[in-house]
Amino acid sequence: MNKNLLYRSIPKVDVLLENELIQKLIAEFSRETVMESIRVKTEELRAFIGKSEDEESCKEKIEHLLRDVQGAVVTMNEPNMISVINGTGTILHTNLGRAPIGQKHMEQVAKIATGYSNLEYNLEAGRRGERYSHFEELLCKLTGAEAAMAVNNNAAAVLLILNAMGKGKEVIVSRGELVEVGGKFRIPDVMEQSGAHLVEVGTTNKTHLEDYEEVITEETAALLKVHTSNYRIIGFTDTVSIAELSELAKKNDIPVIEDLGSGVLIDLSKYGITYEPTVQDSIKNGVDVLSFSGDKLLGGPQAGIIIGKKKYIDRMKKNQLTRALRIDKFTASALEVVLQEYLSEENAIKNIPVLQMMTMTLEEVTEKAETLAQMLRDKNVAAEITVVDCESQIGGGSLPMERLASKGITVKPSNISTVDLEIQMHHMAKPIVGRILNDEILLDARTIFTEQFDVVVEQLATLL
Ligand SMILES: *Cc1c(COP(=O)(O)O)cnc(C)c1O
């Protein structure tokens, strides 16, 4: 095998550039990406010939150079971050981006983000304005708080609150609430970062009001209550309510802070979901400052919403950390439109995807599952398709014990293994993420949008 001859038969760059396909690629993408792909693919080819002992496969690879270049150009110009179809049944799936935002809400955000806006410009006064002004009044109206702001996420909110209110002083927390939520966010560690000193009281399962009372001193900056989000202590337990903490705090002239985690604005028990104390409850019960996530049960953009007494919120707005943790125009705009939906509970349930999925009735989800199953059967896919009972989860550390009775479909492929099918499903243009259960793929119909059914069916039909 004459390797020199093979090397010489690789088309030169100037010859390639004359090629019609390459010309087309340059016109469609760019000269830079085409040149880069030619360079990379030619180098790969030379390395292949260098190692190969098989002349035929070398010749074949040389013949495929154009096609390989085309593939490389296309890949380079495709986004790596793409949308996926969530068949897991977990509504707030942290790895899949948590809360999906409504189409209608995103259209408003796109308008803001693609041009200039009054983000920090007060049009009436003709001078600098505040980025929180677009949703502060709305948040106050919805929650009963005096003032509001938002930062990058709830982890940032907790850090900012503790820094602004507790730096160099003591903050008292129950041992049962020293939690770690997802992504290594640990209350004791955040406390240390903020410069506040942690004073632990009570035990893991029981904390009483006297426990707090006994350690309040001149050095106490605040009492902190943390929602235990993703875990539950059950059995012989006792915690102190916000109402009781507020009373004690008032007597001692110190504030009560709450990290509410998810933060719901709607009483979900009306929809058959376990009652979760609302943001309004905490404000009513006297909390001074409270924070919660924008993209958990609220169903909005990633953000850490902070509400409470004006004197504390003002202090936080002036804090140096706020500048580092501030939200951008995308978030400010999305928060405003999503919060507007809450002016009517009916609109919120109907238009916020997270709430819509959570409150979907068993009849509705059954109908979805049956429609999807029928669409697949109509395609005569080489698989057994069955409508089955399953359980959806809320996810995102919210309501961890909650299981929503749901319906989904199982796909049992006839010609390939279930594991292979799952891998291939992840490699489609619109990857489908499901669960493997009893050697079948389970797709929960709750978290797959009806608008996605056509794509799901089309893609599965090409695999099966
Ligand atoms: C989720 C959660 C956080 C972190 O919120 P992010 O918005 O993810 O930063 C903090 N505290 C509690 C109690 C939580 O549940």
Side-chain angles (χ1 to χ4, degrees):
M1 144 180 196
N2 187 337
K3 290 209 176 184
N4 278 333
L5 211 60
L6 283 170
Y7 284 132
R8 261 182 277 136
S9 70
I10 300 175
K12 297 278 168 308
V13 176
D14 45 347
V15 176
L16 282 173
L17 285 174
E18 298 290 309
N19 180 281
E20 202 181 325
L21 174 66
I22 296 290
Q23 291 279 330
K24 253 197 175 136
L25 287 174
I26 290 175
E28 191 181 342
F29 300 101
S30 71
R31 194 177 171 84
E32 287 87 345
T33 53
V34 174
M35 290 294 283
E36 170 69 5
S37 301
I38 290 176
R39 193 188 60 74
V40 170
K41 288 295 150 188
T42 309
E43 243 167 53
E44 270 179 30
L45 184 54
R46 296 183 70 87
F48 182 84
I49 295 169
K51 274 197 222 138
S52 180
E53 299 297 333
D54 176 15
E55 190 165 345
E56 274 318 301
S57 61
C58 288
K59 281 184 175 162
E60 205 175 294
K61 205 140 169 79
I62 294 169
E63 258 170 47
H64 285 162
L65 180 61
L66 271 178
R67 194 197 58 187
D68 290 347
V69 168
Q70 182 182 25
V73 172
V74 172
T75 307
M76 210 187 293
N77 284 283
E78 261 172 4
N80 194 55
M81 190 163 160
I82 53 175
S83 61
V84 306
I85 291 160
N86 178 9
T88 65
T90 300
I91 297 169
L92 297 168
H93 199 302
T94 303
N95 304 139
L96 303 183
R98 265 201 207 157
I101 308 264
Q103 190 71 35
K104 157 181 163 198
H105 307 139
M106 258 346 265
E107 276 162 24
Q108 176 59 19
V109 176
K111 269 190 224 161
I112 296 298
T114 51
Y116 299 104
S117 65
N118 61 343
L119 175 68
E120 276 192 358
Y121 191 74
N122 182 330
L123 288 164
E124 261 162 58
R127 57 176 158 75
R128 197 198 156 109
E130 203 181 68
R131 62 183 60 213
Y132 314 114
S133 66
H134 309 291
F135 53 82
E136 181 168 10
E137 230 181 88
L138 200 49
L139 265 171
C140 293
K141 190 202 280 288
L142 294 170
T143 63
E146 283 176 12
M149 64 181 290
V151 288
N152 188 45
N153 54 25
N154 190 32
V158 176
L159 177 68
L160 171 63
I161 293 170
L162 290 174
N163 181 266
M165 300 181 63
K167 191 178 173 195
K169 295 193 81 180
E170 294 177 351
V171 174
I172 306 172
V173 195
S174 158
R175 286 200 170 89
E177 296 170 7
L178 292 173
V179 295
E180 170 177 323
V181 293
K184 285 265 155 66
F185 175 84
R186 293 176 156 183
I187 290 297
D189 297 349
V190 177
M191 187 87 82
E192 198 178 317
Q193 283 277 327
S194 76
H197 305 301
L198 170 68
V199 177
E200 301 174 24
V201 291
T203 59
T204 305
N205 56 329
K206 280 203 175 208
T207 303
H208 308 288
L209 192 62
E210 310 87 78
D211 296 329
Y212 290 90
E213 207 163 7
E214 277 163 16
V215 296
I216 293 177
T217 67
E218 288 286 287
E219 287 307 303
T220 307
L223 308 181
L224 170 66
K225 185 155 181 75
V226 181
H227 194 295
T228 53
S229 294
N230 52 3
Y231 100 119
R232 286 284 179 276
I233 300 172
I234 49 172
F236 188 59
T237 66
D238 223 336
T239 60
V240 184
S241 72
I242 278 287
E244 293 169 290
L245 281 182
S246 299
E247 211 183 297
L248 175 65
K250 231 171 247 121
K251 263 195 258 159
N252 290 276
D253 202 21
I254 48 173
V256 175
I257 302 166
E258 186 175 23
D259 170 8
L260 200 50
S262 251
V264 272
L265 294 177
I266 287 177
D267 172 4
L268 291 170
S269 65
K270 282 187 247 171
Y271 304 92
I273 295 162
T274 311
Y275 180 74
E276 173 78 355
T278 62
V279 175
Q280 296 91 309
D281 287 342
S282 287
I283 294 290
K284 218 179 291 158
N285 288 324
V287 78
D288 293 276
V289 172
L290 174 162
S291 76
F292 56 100
S293 284
D295 59 345
K296 287 187 182 170
L297 292 175
L298 191 80
Q302 179 188 303
I305 296 168
I306 308 174
I307 60 171
K309 301 261 161 70
K310 188 168 183 318
K311 64 172 176 177
Y312 298 118
I313 302 290
D314 281 347
R315 205 194 285 176
M316 277 176 252
K317 283 179 179 171
K318 290 194 200 100
N319 189 291
Q320 272 300 311
L321 270 179
T322 300
R323 180 62 182 76
L325 305 174
R326 78 178 183 188
I327 51 164
D328 68 352
K329 58 186 178 230
F330 296 66
T331 308
S333 167
L335 267 181
E336 182 185 16
V337 280
V338 171
L339 287 168
Q340 272 171 347
E341 299 286 9
Y342 281 95
L343 291 170
S344 140
E345 183 171 319
E346 196 187 333
N347 285 347
I349 297 285
K350 193 171 69 192
N351 298 329
I352 297 174
V354 169
L355 294 179
Q356 201 257 330
M357 285 186 272
M358 278 174 67
T359 58
M360 193 179 288
T361 63
L362 186 59
E363 288 75 51
E364 286 171 310
V365 72
T366 303
E367 198 184 317
K368 277 181 83 178
E370 276 166 2
T371 304
L372 184 58
Q374 196 51 48
M375 284 168 77
L376 279 165
R377 290 188 197 116
D378 288 347
K379 287 270 179 186
N380 289 318
V381 290
E384 203 178 302
I385 308 291
T386 317
V387 174
V388 294
D389 291 333
C390 60
E391 286 181 329
S392 314
Q393 293 187 38
I394 311 284
S398 314
L399 295 157
M401 310 299 275
E402 195 77 20
R403 292 292 176 274
L404 309 174
S406 191
K407 287 274 181 182
I409 60 162
T410 52
V411 182
K412 193 178 174 58
S414 345
N415 300 329
I416 51 170
S417 76
T418 305
V419 174
D420 282 345
L421 176 61
E422 186 187 42
I423 292 167
Q424 290 183 34
M425 280 163 60
H426 290 177
H427 287 94
M428 308 250 56
K430 279 251 173 11
I432 305 170
V433 184
R435 280 184 283 168
I436 291 188
L437 209 72
N438 305 325
D439 200 33
E440 291 174 326
I441 303 265
L442 171 66
L443 298 174
D444 188 328
R446 186 184 298 271
T447 48
I448 305 178
F449 302 118
T450 310
E451 305 87 79
Q452 296 174 324
F453 281 7
D454 282 332
V455 194
V456 173
V457 172
E458 233 168 78
Q459 293 191 133
L460 285 177
T462 63
L463 296 180
L464 301 163

